[in-house]
Amino acid sequence: MENLGYYIFVLVALIVAFLVVKRVASCMIKSVILLALVVALAAIYYLYLMH
């Protein structure tokens, strides 16, 4: 529970990034950016929170 703020931040970042990309980019670029964001968040989770 000590990382609740981190999880809220990640959730808000995902929502904001998805909405911005949805309004700006085409479908293919949106998919690539969303995939890169998911990979980056998964890497952060495994590198920093799995100790």
Side-chain angles (χ1 to χ4, degrees):
M1 290 298 288
E2 67 271 0
N3 291 326
L4 184 62
Y6 174 78
Y7 291 120
I8 292 172
F9 171 74
V10 169
L11 182 62
V12 170
L14 275 172
I15 293 170
V16 169
F18 179 74
L19 291 175
V20 168
V21 170
K22 182 178 176 182
R23 295 189 187 275
V24 173
S26 69
C27 185
M28 183 57 114
I29 295 173
K30 180 174 36 175
S31 299
V32 170
I33 292 174
L34 189 59
L35 180 64
L37 184 61
V38 167
V39 168
L41 289 174
I44 289 171
Y45 177 77
Y46 285 114
L47 291 175
Y48 294 108
L49 296 178
M50 297 300 285
H51 287 328

Coordinates of all heavy atoms in Angstrom, one line a residue:
M1 N 0.8 -1.2 0.0 CA 0.0 0.0 0.0 C 0.8 1.3 0.0 O 0.3 2.3 -0.2 CB -0.9 0.0 1.2 CG -2.0 -1.0 1.2 SD -3.2 -0.8 -0.2 CE -4.0 0.7 0.3
E2 N 2.1 1.1 0.2 CA 3.0 2.3 0.3 C 3.2 2.9 -1.1 O 3.6 4.1 -1.2 CB 4.3 2.0 0.9 CG 5.2 1.1 0.1 CD 5.0 -0.4 0.5 OE1 4.1 -0.7 1.3 OE2 5.7 -1.2 -0.1
N3 N 2.9 2.2 -2.1 CA 3.1 2.6 -3.5 C 1.8 3.0 -4.2 O 1.7 3.1 -5.4 CB 3.8 1.6 -4.4 CG 5.2 1.4 -3.9 OD1 5.9 2.3 -3.5 ND2 5.7 0.2 -4.0
L4 N 0.7 3.3 -3.4 CA -0.6 3.7 -3.9 C -0.5 4.9 -4.8 O -1.1 5.0 -5.8 CB -1.6 3.9 -2.8 CG -3.0 4.2 -3.2 CD1 -3.6 3.0 -4.0 CD2 -3.9 4.4 -2.0
G5 N 0.3 5.9 -4.3 CA 0.5 7.1 -5.1 C 1.1 6.9 -6.5 O 0.7 7.5 -7.5
Y6 N 2.1 5.9 -6.5 CA 2.7 5.5 -7.8 C 1.7 4.9 -8.7 O 1.6 5.2 -9.9 CB 3.8 4.6 -7.5 CG 4.5 4.0 -8.7 CD1 5.4 4.8 -9.5 CD2 4.2 2.7 -9.2 CE1 5.9 4.3 -10.6 CE2 4.7 2.2 -10.3 CZ 5.6 3.0 -11.0 OH 6.1 2.5 -12.2
Y7 N 0.9 4.0 -8.2 CA -0.1 3.4 -9.0 C -1.2 4.4 -9.6 O -1.6 4.3 -10.7 CB -0.8 2.2 -8.3 CG 0.1 1.1 -8.0 CD1 0.3 0.7 -6.7 CD2 0.7 0.4 -9.0 CE1 1.2 -0.4 -6.4 CE2 1.5 -0.7 -8.7 CZ 1.8 -1.1 -7.4 OH 2.6 -2.1 -7.2
I8 N -1.6 5.3 -8.7 CA -2.5 6.3 -9.2 C -1.9 7.2 -10.3 O -2.5 7.5 -11.3 CB -3.0 7.2 -8.0 CG1 -3.8 6.4 -7.1 CG2 -3.7 8.4 -8.5 CD1 -4.2 7.1 -5.8
F9 N -0.6 7.5 -10.1 CA 0.1 8.3 -11.1 C 0.2 7.6 -12.4 O 0.0 8.1 -13.5 CB 1.5 8.7 -10.6 CG 2.4 9.3 -11.7 CD1 2.2 10.6 -12.1 CD2 3.4 8.5 -12.3 CE1 3.0 11.1 -13.1 CE2 4.2 9.1 -13.2 CZ 4.0 10.4 -13.6
V10 N 0.6 6.3 -12.4 CA 0.7 5.5 -13.6 C -0.7 5.4 -14.3 O -0.8 5.5 -15.5 CB 1.2 4.1 -13.3 CG1 1.1 3.2 -14.5 CG2 2.7 4.2 -12.9
L11 N -1.7 5.2 -13.5 CA -3.1 5.1 -14.1 C -3.5 6.4 -14.8 O -4.0 6.4 -15.9 CB -4.1 4.7 -13.0 CG -5.5 4.6 -13.5 CD1 -5.6 3.4 -14.5 CD2 -6.4 4.3 -12.3
V12 N -3.2 7.5 -14.1 CA -3.6 8.8 -14.7 C -2.7 9.1 -16.0 O -3.2 9.6 -17.0 CB -3.4 10.0 -13.7 CG1 -3.4 11.3 -14.3 CG2 -4.4 9.8 -12.6
A13 N -1.4 8.7 -15.9 CA -0.5 8.9 -17.1 C -1.0 8.1 -18.2 O -1.0 8.5 -19.4 CB 0.9 8.5 -16.7
L14 N -1.4 6.8 -18.0 CA -2.0 6.0 -19.1 C -3.2 6.6 -19.7 O -3.3 6.7 -20.9 CB -2.3 4.6 -18.5 CG -1.2 3.6 -18.5 CD1 -1.6 2.4 -17.7 CD2 -0.7 3.3 -19.8
I15 N -4.1 7.1 -18.9 CA -5.4 7.7 -19.4 C -5.1 8.9 -20.2 O -5.6 9.1 -21.3 CB -6.3 8.0 -18.2 CG1 -6.8 6.7 -17.6 CG2 -7.5 8.8 -18.7 CD1 -7.6 6.8 -16.3
V16 N -4.2 9.8 -19.7 CA -3.9 11.1 -20.4 C -3.2 10.8 -21.7 O -3.5 11.4 -22.7 CB -3.1 12.0 -19.5 CG1 -2.5 13.2 -20.2 CG2 -3.9 12.5 -18.3
A17 N -2.2 9.9 -21.6 CA -1.5 9.5 -22.8 C -2.4 8.9 -23.9 O -2.3 9.3 -25.1 CB -0.3 8.6 -22.5
F18 N -3.3 8.1 -23.5 CA -4.2 7.5 -24.4 C -5.1 8.5 -25.1 O -5.3 8.5 -26.3 CB -5.0 6.4 -23.7 CG -6.0 5.7 -24.6 CD1 -5.6 4.8 -25.6 CD2 -7.4 6.0 -24.6 CE1 -6.5 4.2 -26.4 CE2 -8.3 5.4 -25.4 CZ -7.8 4.5 -26.4
L19 N -5.6 9.4 -24.3 CA -6.5 10.5 -24.8 C -5.8 11.4 -25.7 O -6.3 11.8 -26.8 CB -7.2 11.2 -23.7 CG -8.2 10.5 -22.8 CD1 -8.7 11.3 -21.6 CD2 -9.4 10.0 -23.7
V20 N -4.6 11.8 -25.4 CA -3.8 12.7 -26.3 C -3.5 12.0 -27.6 O -3.7 12.6 -28.7 CB -2.5 13.2 -25.5 CG1 -1.6 13.9 -26.5 CG2 -2.9 14.1 -24.4
V21 N -3.0 10.8 -27.5 CA -2.6 10.1 -28.7 C -3.9 9.8 -29.6 O -3.8 9.9 -30.8 CB -1.9 8.8 -28.4 CG1 -1.7 7.9 -29.6 CG2 -0.6 9.1 -27.8
K22 N -5.0 9.5 -28.9 CA -6.2 9.3 -29.7 C -6.7 10.5 -30.5 O -7.2 10.4 -31.6 CB -7.3 8.9 -28.7 CG -8.7 8.6 -29.3 CD -9.6 8.2 -28.2 CE -11.0 7.9 -28.8 NZ -12.0 7.6 -27.8
R23 N -6.5 11.7 -29.9 CA -6.9 12.9 -30.6 C -5.9 13.3 -31.7 O -6.3 14.0 -32.6 CB -7.1 14.0 -29.6 CG -8.3 13.7 -28.7 CD -8.6 14.9 -27.9 NE -9.6 14.6 -26.8 CZ -10.9 14.6 -27.0 NH1 -11.4 14.9 -28.2 NH2 -11.7 14.3 -26.0
V24 N -4.6 13.0 -31.5 CA -3.6 13.6 -32.4 C -3.2 12.6 -33.5 O -3.0 13.0 -34.6 CB -2.3 14.0 -31.5 CG1 -1.2 14.4 -32.4 CG2 -2.7 15.1 -30.6
A25 N -3.0 11.4 -33.2 CA -2.3 10.5 -34.1 C -3.3 9.6 -34.9 O -4.5 9.4 -34.5 CB -1.3 9.6 -33.4
S26 N -2.8 8.9 -35.9 CA -3.7 8.0 -36.6 C -3.7 6.6 -35.9 O -3.0 6.5 -34.9 CB -3.1 7.8 -38.0 OG -1.9 7.1 -38.0
C27 N -4.4 5.7 -36.4 CA -4.6 4.4 -35.7 C -3.3 3.6 -35.5 O -3.0 3.1 -34.5 CB -5.6 3.6 -36.4 SG -6.0 2.1 -35.6
M28 N -2.4 3.6 -36.6 CA -1.2 2.8 -36.5 C -0.2 3.4 -35.6 O 0.4 2.7 -34.7 CB -0.6 2.7 -37.9 CG 0.7 1.8 -37.9 SD 0.3 0.2 -37.3 CE 0.6 -0.8 -38.7
I29 N -0.1 4.8 -35.6 CA 0.9 5.4 -34.7 C 0.4 5.3 -33.3 O 1.2 5.1 -32.4 CB 1.0 6.9 -35.1 CG1 1.7 7.0 -36.5 CG2 1.8 7.7 -34.1 CD1 1.7 8.4 -37.1
K30 N -0.9 5.4 -33.1 CA -1.5 5.3 -31.8 C -1.2 3.9 -31.2 O -0.8 3.8 -30.0 CB -3.0 5.5 -31.9 CG -3.7 5.4 -30.6 CD -5.2 5.7 -30.6 CE -5.9 5.3 -31.9 NZ -7.3 5.6 -31.9
S31 N -1.3 2.9 -32.0 CA -1.0 1.5 -31.5 C 0.4 1.4 -31.1 O 0.8 0.8 -30.1 CB -1.4 0.5 -32.6 OG -2.7 0.6 -32.9
V32 N 1.4 1.9 -31.9 CA 2.8 1.8 -31.6 C 3.1 2.6 -30.3 O 3.9 2.0 -29.5 CB 3.6 2.3 -32.8 CG1 5.1 2.5 -32.4 CG2 3.4 1.4 -34.0
I33 N 2.6 3.8 -30.2 CA 2.9 4.5 -29.0 C 2.3 3.9 -27.7 O 2.9 3.8 -26.7 CB 2.3 6.0 -29.1 CG1 3.1 6.7 -30.2 CG2 2.4 6.7 -27.8 CD1 2.6 8.1 -30.6
L34 N 1.1 3.4 -27.8 CA 0.5 2.7 -26.7 C 1.2 1.4 -26.3 O 1.5 1.2 -25.2 CB -1.0 2.3 -27.0 CG -1.8 1.8 -25.9 CD1 -1.9 2.9 -24.8 CD2 -3.2 1.5 -26.4
L35 N 1.7 0.7 -27.3 CA 2.5 -0.5 -27.0 C 3.8 -0.1 -26.4 O 4.2 -0.8 -25.4 CB 2.8 -1.3 -28.3 CG 3.7 -2.5 -28.2 CD1 2.9 -3.5 -27.4 CD2 4.0 -3.1 -29.6
A36 N 4.5 1.0 -26.8 CA 5.7 1.4 -26.2 C 5.5 1.9 -24.8 O 6.3 1.6 -23.9 CB 6.3 2.6 -27.0
L37 N 4.4 2.5 -24.5 CA 4.0 3.0 -23.2 C 3.8 1.8 -22.2 O 4.3 1.8 -21.1 CB 2.8 3.9 -23.2 CG 2.4 4.5 -21.9 CD1 3.5 5.4 -21.4 CD2 1.1 5.3 -22.1
V38 N 3.1 0.8 -22.7 CA 2.8 -0.4 -21.9 C 4.2 -1.1 -21.6 O 4.4 -1.6 -20.5 CB 1.9 -1.4 -22.6 CG1 1.8 -2.7 -22.0 CG2 0.5 -0.7 -22.7
V39 N 5.0 -1.2 -22.6 CA 6.3 -1.9 -22.4 C 7.2 -1.1 -21.4 O 7.8 -1.7 -20.5 CB 7.1 -2.1 -23.7 CG1 8.6 -2.5 -23.5 CG2 6.4 -3.1 -24.6
A40 N 7.2 0.2 -21.5 CA 7.9 1.1 -20.5 C 7.4 0.9 -19.1 O 8.1 0.8 -18.2 CB 7.9 2.5 -21.0
L41 N 6.1 0.9 -19.0 CA 5.5 0.8 -17.6 C 5.7 -0.6 -17.1 O 6.0 -0.8 -15.9 CB 4.0 1.1 -17.7 CG 3.6 2.5 -17.9 CD1 2.2 2.7 -18.1 CD2 4.2 3.4 -16.8
A42 N 5.7 -1.6 -17.9 CA 6.0 -3.0 -17.4 C 7.5 -3.1 -17.0 O 7.8 -3.7 -16.0 CB 5.7 -4.0 -18.5
A43 N 8.4 -2.4 -17.7 CA 9.8 -2.4 -17.3 C 10.0 -1.7 -16.0 O 10.7 -2.2 -15.2 CB 10.6 -1.8 -18.4
I44 N 9.3 -0.6 -15.8 CA 9.4 0.2 -14.6 C 8.9 -0.7 -13.4 O 9.5 -0.8 -12.4 CB 8.6 1.5 -14.7 CG1 9.4 2.5 -15.6 CG2 8.5 2.1 -13.3 CD1 8.5 3.7 -15.9
Y45 N 7.8 -1.4 -13.7 CA 7.2 -2.2 -12.6 C 8.2 -3.3 -12.2 O 8.5 -3.5 -11.0 CB 5.9 -2.8 -13.1 CG 5.3 -3.7 -12.1 CD1 4.6 -3.2 -11.0 CD2 5.4 -5.1 -12.3 CE1 4.1 -4.1 -10.1 CE2 4.8 -6.0 -11.3 CZ 4.2 -5.5 -10.2 OH 3.6 -6.3 -9.3
Y46 N 8.8 -4.0 -13.2 CA 9.6 -5.2 -12.8 C 11.0 -4.7 -12.3 O 11.6 -5.4 -11.5 CB 9.8 -6.1 -14.1 CG 8.6 -6.9 -14.3 CD1 7.8 -6.8 -15.4 CD2 8.2 -7.9 -13.4 CE1 6.7 -7.5 -15.7 CE2 7.1 -8.6 -13.6 CZ 6.3 -8.5 -14.7 OH 5.2 -9.2 -14.9
L47 N 11.5 -3.6 -12.8 CA 12.8 -3.1 -12.4 C 12.8 -2.5 -11.0 O 13.8 -2.6 -10.2 CB 13.4 -2.2 -13.4 CG 13.8 -2.8 -14.7 CD1 14.3 -1.8 -15.7 CD2 14.9 -3.9 -14.5
Y48 N 11.8 -1.7 -10.7 CA 11.8 -0.9 -9.5 C 10.8 -1.5 -8.4 O 11.1 -1.2 -7.2 CB 11.4 0.5 -9.8 CG 12.4 1.2 -10.6 CD1 12.2 1.5 -11.9 CD2 13.7 1.5 -10.1 CE1 13.1 2.1 -12.7 CE2 14.6 2.1 -10.9 CZ 14.4 2.4 -12.2 OH 15.3 3.0 -13.0
L49 N 9.8 -2.2 -8.7 CA 8.8 -2.6 -7.7 C 8.9 -4.0 -7.3 O 8.3 -4.5 -6.4 CB 7.4 -2.3 -8.1 CG 7.1 -0.8 -8.3 CD1 5.7 -0.6 -8.8 CD2 7.3 0.0 -7.0
M50 N 9.7 -4.8 -8.0 CA 9.8 -6.2 -7.7 C 11.1 -6.6 -6.9 O 11.5 -7.7 -6.9 CB 9.9 -7.1 -9.0 CG 8.6 -6.9 -9.8 SD 7.1 -7.5 -9.0 CE 7.3 -9.2 -9.1
H51 N 11.6 -5.6 -6.1 CA 12.8 -5.9 -5.3 C 12.4 -6.5 -4.0 O 11.6 -6.3 -3.3 CB 13.6 -4.6 -5.0 CG 14.3 -4.1 -6.2 ND1 14.8 -4.9 -7.1 CD2 14.6 -2.9 -6.6 CE1 15.4 -4.2 -8.0 NE2 15.3 -2.9 -7.7

